[in-house]
C-alpha cells in the first residue's frame, strides 16, 4: 500500500494548506491511507479542536496524530475518547489516559496500524518510548506487519535510534516536532522507511509557524513574550509518501513531499 | 563568490570522505572558498587534532569551524592559538579564550569573513550568540559585507531566529550539530542564505556517526555506555554551496550537497 | 550592621506572614536593613503587583528582590522603572532592560549595596552571573564594601560556586528559588556569609507553595495542570539574619530564621 | 524502631568521616538500622567499589543506597548481584537491570524495607518513580508497613511531591543528591517523616565535595574541566535519625544529624 503522511499542521494557514493541497496530492499520488499530524492545528497553534479535527478528516485525512501539544486545547478531552481516528502519543503515563496511542484501519485486504509516540530527549519524561513501542509492536504484529510510527521528538539521535531499534518490525518511522523537513528519507536495509522529520504545514515565514518578532525578542531578552501564529501568505506543506509491501510489511520506497514558494505544486 | 560548506566531519570515515570527495567537489563546483566543520574529526569523534586539521586543509579546506566538542581533544590548546584558519564558537565566555571566533580570507578582490557561533537551547550557557553576532557583524561589516556564519545549534527555532535576526547583514547562516541535513535551503528575502543544518560527513550507518548498539543500549537502560565511532563502509558527505554577490554581500543561491549510497557522486 | 533577609514570599498567605511577623522580627532582631524576595507575591504566586510591593515596604522591607518570575505579572513594567527599592536579577540580557539589578541604601554611616542575580543551571540563559557579579562588585566596592547578594538559582553547586568566587569581595551570598531552607548557613573564611537557600514564606502545606494535588497530578500524568496557590492555614516564614562589619564589609555571623508550625515564634 | 540515615558519602574524606563518627553516632543514638548513601564513595567521587562497600558495612551500615552515579565505577557490576545490602534506584529501566532497587532486614520483631528511587526532573528519564513507588509500596506493605525511601533527586518540588504521594503508606522519604542538608525535617500529618535532602558526608570545603577551582573554572569558561575530590581537612557528615512505630509504620519523629566545623560532635 501507499501511505501519505503530512507533518505538523500549524494554525489556520496550515489547515488551509491541507484543504487546498491534500485533495490534489491524494488525486495525484493515490495513497491508500493518509495520516496528518494535527498537534498545532488550532488558530493559536497549540492543540486541536473538534471542528478542525473534522476539517482534517473532510480534507482527506484517515488518521490524525498528535504530540507534546496534545492537551493544550482542553476541548480535546471532550472528543478524543469517542473516535479511533485521532491518536496521541502512546507513551503518555498514568492511569486511564484519555484517547488511544495507536489505531488501525483496513486498506484493501490489508490492515494498517498507526502508532504515535513521543521522544524524551529535551521533552517531558513520558513512559519509555522504546519499551512502549516494543510492547505495542509485538502485540500488533500478531495482526498485521504493516505499521506506521509517527515519532514526535526533538533530536536526531533518538529518532534514528528508535528507527534502528524497530527496523524490520515496523514499516516506517517518521519523525515530527522540529517543524523542519530533513533530507534523509531512506529505507533502512530494505525494511523500514525513515526520515528524521517530515516538516511542518502552515505559514512559511514564521519560526515554527510563529511570528518571528516575538520569538526573536524572547531570545534577546529572556523575558516572557506571547507567541502568535504567523499569518502572512506564503505557505508550506511537508510530508512524505511511503510504499509498503502488504505481505511483509517492509517499505520499498519513501519520498519526501514539499510544497512551498521554492517548490510550487505542479503535477 | 561561491562558498562550499561541509558539515560535521566525524571520525576516520569522515576524514576519508573529505579526502576522496572534497577535491572532486571543488573541481566541479569551483568554489572560491571552502569551509569545513571539524568538531568531530578525531578517530573517537570528539574534537580535532593538529594532524587531522592539516589533513582537512590539505584536502582543500580554507577554514575549519568547530562547535560544542571544540575542547574535547586537549591537543587543540597547543595549536589553535597559532593559526587563523581554525575557529571555534565566538561566544565562548571568559577571559583569554584560546583561539578565535571568526576569521577572514581574501577571495579574488573581496574579503570573506567566517564566523562560528554556538546556540544555547539545550546546550551550555555560552555568551548570548545573538548579542555576540550583533557586535561582530557590525564590526566586520566596516570591512566587508560578505559574511558566512556556521551556527552550531540543536533546535530549529534558534537557528531560524538568528538567521532572521541577521538577515540582510550577513550572507549566509548555515546550521550544524544535529548531523542530519535539513531540506530547507533557502535565500531569505533575496538577502541571506539559510539552511537549518548542513548535515554530517562520515559513517552513514551510525547514529550521529556512532555505533548504533551502544546508543540504543543507553536509551534502553539509561546506564553509561561507551560510544564508539561507526566504522562500516558506506559514507555520507553533507553540506551546501552558496553564491554571494561580492558587492552587496547578499546571497543569490544556496543548494544542498549530499553524497551517500542513495545519492552517489556523478558529475 | 545587621541585615534581615526573607525568602520567596508566595501568594496572599506569604504577604500575611510578612505583615504578621516582619514587624515582630524587626522589633526583636533590630536589623538596620530588611530585604524581602517578592517574586511570587501575587495571589497566583507569579510576579509582583504595585499594591503588594507597597504592602511589603509598609511591613518593613527596605528592598524587594525578584527572580525568574520577575516579569510574570506584566504590571511590574509600569512601576519598576520609578523605584530604586525593587530590583530584578542584574543579569537579564538585552538593551534597556526595565528596572535595575542592584541598589544601595544608607544604613547609619555606612552604605549597603544589594545585588540580585539569577543562576543559569536549569534556568534560562541570562547573561553570565559570574561575569556580571564580577563587574558590578568591582564597581560597587569603590563606594562600599558592604554588599548583599540574593542569588536566585536552582542548584547547590552554582550557588556555592558563586559564593566562593565572590568570597572576600561581598558580605553575603544568600540563595533563593528552591523554596526550601537549607541547613548550611556559614561565614566562609570569616569573610562572606552564605546559605544555599533562605527558603520560602507562605503556605506551608503546599509544594513550592502550590496546592499538592495539581503538582502531583502533573508528575503522574505529564499533562498540563493548572497550579493554584495553597490556601490552608499553617504558614511558614524563612530567611536569615546577618551581621556585617561596616568597615571591612566582612560578615561576622549568619543565622537562619524559620517560623512555622514546628518552630513557633516566641521571643 | 529507630533508623539512622547518612547522606551521600564523597571520596576518601567521606569514608573517613563514616569510620570516625558512625560508630559514635550508633553508640549514642542507638538506631536499630543504619542506612548510608554511597554513590560518591570512591576516591574520585563517582560510584562505589567493593572494598569501600565493605568498609561502609564494617563501619556500621546495614544498607547502602545509590543514585545517578550508581554505574560510574564499573566494578559495581561484579558484586551488586551477589548482595542484598546494596541497592540502586529501583526505577532504572530495561530488562535484567543488575542488582535490586529495594531490600528488607529484620529489626527486632519487625521488618524494615528500604527503597531507593531516583527523580527525573533535571535527571535522566528513568522509569516513573511515582509509578514504581506505588507498585513497590503496595507489594511491600503486604509484608511490613515500615518502609524507608531514599529519593535521589534534584529539585524540592519532586521530592515533596513524592513524599505527599506516599504519605501514610511509607514511614519516611528522605532526599539525597544535592549534597546540602535542608532545614525542613518534619513528620507530615503524623505519618511520614520527610526532609528534602539529608546532605553530604565528606570534605566540607568543596563544591559537592569537589575542589572549587575547577568547578568555578567551568562556570566561568564553559570548557571541560576535570573535577577532583577536595582533600582539605575539615569534614562534614550529614543525615537524619527517624523514629518509627513498628506496628503502624508511622514515623513519630525525625531529627537532622549534622557534624562539621560549626557543629562539632559532642555527646
Ligand atoms: Fe509541532
Ligand atoms: Fe511538538
Ligand atoms: Fe557534531
Ligand atoms: Fe556538535
Ligand atoms: Fe520563588
Ligand atoms: Fe524562582
Ligand atoms: Fe551524590
Ligand atoms: Fe547524585
Amino acid at each position: 500500500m501507499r501511505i501519505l503522511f503530512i507533518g505538523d499542521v500549524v494554525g489556520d494557514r496550515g489547515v488551509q494548506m491541507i484543504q487546498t493541497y491534500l485533495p490534489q496530492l491524494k488525486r495525484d499520488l493515490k495513497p491508500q491511507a493518509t495520516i496528518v499530524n494535527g498537534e498545532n492545528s488550532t488558530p493559536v497553534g497549540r492543540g486541536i479542536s473538534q471542528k478542525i479535527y473534522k476539517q482534517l478528516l473532510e480534507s482527506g485525512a484517515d488518521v490524525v496524530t498528535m504530540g507534546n501539544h496534545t492537551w493544550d486545547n482542553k476541548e480535546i478531552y471532550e472528543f478524543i475518547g469517542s473516535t479511533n481516528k485521532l491518536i496521541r502519543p502512546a507513551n503518555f503515563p498514568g492511569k486511564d489516559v484519555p484517547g488511544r496511542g495507536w489505531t488501525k484501519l483496513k486498506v484493501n485486504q490489508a490492515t494498517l496500524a498507526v502508532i504515535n509516540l513521543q521522544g524524551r530527549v529535551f521533552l517531558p519524561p513520558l513512559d519509555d518510548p522504546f519499551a512502549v513501542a516494543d510492547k505495542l509492536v509485538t502485540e500488533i504484529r500478531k495482526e498485521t506487519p504493516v505499521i506506521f510510527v509517527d515519532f514526535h521528538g526533538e533530536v536526531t539521535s533518538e529518532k534514528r535510534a528508535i528507527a534502528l531499534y524497530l527496523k524490520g518490525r515496523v514499516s516506517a518511522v517518521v519523525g515530527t516536532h522540529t517543524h523542519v523537513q530533513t533530507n534523509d528519507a531512506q529505507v533502512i536495509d530494505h525494511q523500514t522507511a525513515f526520515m528524521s522529520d517530515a516538516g511542518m504545514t502552515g505559514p512559511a515565514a514564521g519560526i515554527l509557524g510563529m511570528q518571528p518578532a516575538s520569538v526573536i525578542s524572547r531570545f534577546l531578552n529572556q523575558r516572557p513574550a506571547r507567541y502568535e501564529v504567523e499569518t502572512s501568505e506564503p505557505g508550506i506543506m511537508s510530508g512524505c509518501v511511503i510504499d509498503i509491501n502488504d505481505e511483509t510489511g517492509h517499505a520499498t520506497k519513501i519520498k519526501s513531499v514539499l510544497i512551498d514558494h521554492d517548490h510550487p505544486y505542479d503535477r
Side-chain angles (χ1 to χ4, degrees), chain A:
Chain A
M1 72 179 71
R2 171 169 286 188
I3 297 172
L4 174 62
F5 177 75
I6 302 296
D8 306 44
V9 175
V10 181
D12 292 341
R13 194 76 197 82
V15 176
Q16 289 162 17
M17 291 294 288
I18 292 287
Q19 291 171 324
T20 303
Y21 291 106
L22 190 54
Q24 295 185 45
L25 281 170
K26 291 187 70 167
R27 185 193 61 208
D28 295 337
L29 297 173
K30 298 185 180 25
Q32 280 90 42
T34 299
I35 305 163
V36 174
N37 184 299
E39 71 143 7
N40 307 111
S41 58
T42 61
V44 296
R46 299 167 62 91
I48 195 169
S49 69
Q50 188 156 13
K51 180 183 157 200
I52 288 166
Y53 168 58
K54 285 183 179 168
Q55 286 176 334
L56 296 178
L57 295 189
E58 282 162 18
S59 299
D62 296 306
V63 176
V64 173
T65 56
M66 299 293 286
N68 57 312
H69 290 295
T70 300
W71 317 102
D72 285 0
N73 182 16
K74 290 193 198 311
E75 192 185 318
I76 195 173
Y77 286 103
E78 297 171 23
F79 68 98
I80 194 174
S82 57
T83 170
N84 59 7
K85 295 183 171 176
L86 174 63
I87 59 176
R88 44 76 192 161
N91 54 330
F92 265 101
K95 289 165 185 159
D96 305 320
V97 185
R100 43 188 305 160
W102 71 280
T103 192
K104 59 187 176 182
L105 59 164
K106 277 284 160 202
V107 176
N108 306 330
Q109 311 309 319
T111 296
L112 165 67
V114 182
I115 301 175
N116 196 186
L117 287 167
Q118 188 169 311
R120 302 200 294 183
V121 179
F122 306 136
L123 282 168
L126 306 192
D127 285 342
D128 181 354
F130 288 76
V132 171
D134 190 39
K135 196 176 158 192
L136 272 183
V137 166
T138 301
E139 194 59 33
I140 292 170
R141 282 180 63 85
K142 292 175 186 168
E143 187 174 353
T144 177
V146 185
I147 304 174
F148 176 93
V149 179
D150 171 356
F151 187 83
H152 199 78
E154 184 70 62
V155 297
T156 55
S157 57
E158 192 182 26
K159 287 168 170 177
R160 188 167 174 85
I162 200 159
L164 293 176
Y165 180 65
L166 297 176
K167 188 189 69 173
R169 298 193 283 163
V170 303
S171 309
V173 174
V174 176
T176 52
H177 179 64
T178 73
H179 289 205
V180 173
Q181 188 173 85
T182 53
N183 194 19
D184 63 343
Q186 60 195 265
V187 180
I188 304 174
D189 292 346
H190 305 284
Q191 297 177 314
T192 297
F194 170 67
M195 73 187 293
S196 294
D197 209 288
M200 67 165 270
T201 300
I207 296 174
L208 303 173
M210 299 288 146
Q211 293 175 7
S214 52
V215 179
I216 292 173
S217 148
R218 188 131 137 201
F219 276 114
L220 296 179
N221 300 319
Q222 299 293 339
R223 302 202 300 268
R226 192 181 179 137
Y227 290 178
E228 311 271 358
V229 169
E230 174 64 33
T231 54
S232 66
E233 179 45 29
I236 186 171
M237 183 160 174
S238 310
C240 60
V241 58
I242 299 169
D243 291 334
I244 300 169
N245 179 321
D246 292 2
E247 300 299 318
T248 61
H250 288 169
T252 55
K253 195 176 169 187
I254 177 172
K255 199 174 174 323
S256 62
V257 169
L258 181 61
I259 303 171
D260 67 3
H261 182 268
D262 292 342
H263 307 80
Y265 190 67
D266 58 340
R267 182 77 183 229

